[in-house]
Structures are given as structure tokens and as C-alpha cells.
Amino acid sequence: PYAVILVLACTAVKKRFGWVPAAVLVTMSSIMKEAVVHNVEARMYALAALFVLIAYLALYDILKEDTTSAWVLFCAASLGAAYTHYYALISVAFFYVMLIPAMLKNKRKMRRLAVSYAVTILAYLPWLTVLVHSFTKTKDDWWLGYIPSVKECVDFVLDYTWLAVVFAAVLIVFVWQQKRFTNDVLWVLAGVLSACGTAAVGLALSYIVRPFFIARYLFPVTAVVYLLFGFCISKIQPHKLLTAGILVMILLANLPAYAEVYTLDKWKDEETSRFCNTVKPTADAVIYTNDQHLCWNLVPYYYPGIADEYAEDVRDA
């Protein structure tokens, strides 16, 4: 999915918006701290990010040209996101919400919007029972005991406070320069609402019911944030100098982190291989680990049928 995002950035994004948004999307999708991790993990997050990004690009085409192909792609990508991760479902749902003010003055467009709503809901119904079951199971038995702060959510997406400040400043300047509520403004606000709304829903559920939300559930919307960031930069002069300055600062700040993650992952891979080649447990053995992710899914994969337990300090196990 990450490779496809890079291809989209160099083709669809560059064609629609120019090289500045494409460069920002490629750089931030490649080097941000969480992207370095989640883009290469065999999990659903990168795939969800791809679907949400495609839906966001299709939303732009709907606002600009209102073609049938754009509507079809929008619905298909939104369903892909919804089926991939339930917080990605929330992210694309805000795109549907932002379509309402754009379609209100045109009856033909309102009919298309109504059809897209109906098709999306009907196509998602087969998975709805799984979603309800997941939430029911989570409500009754969930290991989370911590709710992330708003700052932690922002830091997850943008890494640094200074970058969040730059992002907010660029966004404000862009909206102020537009003077009126254009489709570009609506599209940018749809991306902002998607990111903020996903976090708000997750935090609200966590406080009202019980902890349901982890900051990494925002990963599916990160590519959208990076794209709209680059889009806003491209509308501000001197955008070339501004783009170069921001990207250089991001690279200088994140390349050491990239190297650290690479070194750590390489070490984990070597140690895992060494452990699997050395340890041949008996049927009644128990494997203790101080890594919750290993205990959760990897130990049963490497040693099926062997009991495993999490121990914060394996020396006391």
C-alpha cells in the first residue's frame, strides 16, 4: 500500500496539484516516525491509509468535475477503507458529511449524493454484524487502560509541536487568502474534519464508554493530512522556498529516527531468528516475553500450541 501511495503521489497528485503537494506527500509518508513503522508492518493500517487517500482524491474530483467515474471511485475507496478498519470508516464518513453543503444547490448532484449514500450503506451491511460483534466483544473484554491526550494524537500525525504550529499557520493563511468558501476550501476542511473528527469520536467513545481508542488508529488519515498540508503550502507564496524549508527541517529531524527504527527492527529480526533456531520447547512448556505484541500474536505463530504469557520482568516469571 505504501508503494501505491508513492505512485499516486507521483501521478494523480502531481497531475492535479503540482509537484509541491506530491513532494510533501512522498516525504512525509516516507519519513515521519509512525509512517516508518506502519508502512512496513503486515497489518491493516497502510492499506486503510491508501483507501482513505484515494477516497479523498476522488472527493476532489467530485467537487471539481462531478463525473460518474469520480463518484464510483469515491464509493469504492470509501468501502475499502470501511472494510479495512472501523476508524477508517469514521474518517471517510466525514467526507460524506462534507459533500452535503457542496451538493445542496443542485438537485442532480443531490440525487447522486443520495445514491452514493444508499449504495455505500447497503454494500457495508454484510460487514455491519462483524463491526457490532467487535464493539460488543471490546466493550466486555478489552486490555486498554489508557486514553491518549489530544496532544499525543497531534504528535502521532505530525511528530513535533513546531510542525503542528507550521501546519496550523499554513492552513489559516490558505483559508484567509481564499476570501470566499470555494470548493478548494471545502476539500481542505473535509480533510481536516476527517482527521480531527476521527480523533474526537475515538476519544469521546473512550471517555463515555471505556478506552476504545489508540493514537495509531489515526494512521489511516495521515496521508490525507500530508496531502492537504502540501496543497495549502502550494497556494502560499513563495511556495517553493517554503516547501524546501519545511521538507529540509522534517528530513533533518526524522532521518536519525529512521536510522534508529531500522537498526532496532534489524536487531529484533536477528534475535527472533536466533531464538527460533535455538529454542525447541516441549509441549508443556511456557514461553514468557516482556513484549506485548510478541505475546499477543507472534509467539503463537512461531510456536503453535505452546503456551505463552506476558511478564513485565521475565526474570520474575
Side-chain angles (χ1 to χ4, degrees), residues 73-92:
L73 182 60
F74 177 72
C75 292
S78 297
L79 283 167
Y83 270 83
T84 303
H85 197 274
Y86 46 85
Y87 276 98
L89 162 64
I90 296 171
S91 298
V92 295

Side-chain angles (χ1 to χ4, degrees), residues 127-181:
W127 192 251
L128 189 60
T129 54
V130 178
L131 178 69
V132 173
H133 174 71
S134 297
F135 272 108
T136 303
K137 182 180 179 181
T138 299
K139 181 177 181 298
D140 296 334
D141 182 22
W142 185 235
W143 53 267
L144 279 180
Y146 174 74
I147 302 174
S149 66
V150 173
K151 185 179 185 305
E152 286 173 323
C153 293
V154 174
D155 288 345
F156 178 90
V157 177
L158 294 170
D159 281 357
Y160 307 102
T161 301
W162 67 264
L163 188 56
V165 172
V166 172
F167 175 84
V170 167
L171 181 64
I172 292 171
V173 171
F174 164 76
V175 174
W176 179 78
Q177 284 185 345
Q178 296 301 300
K179 303 297 182 182
R180 58 192 180 90
F181 198 71

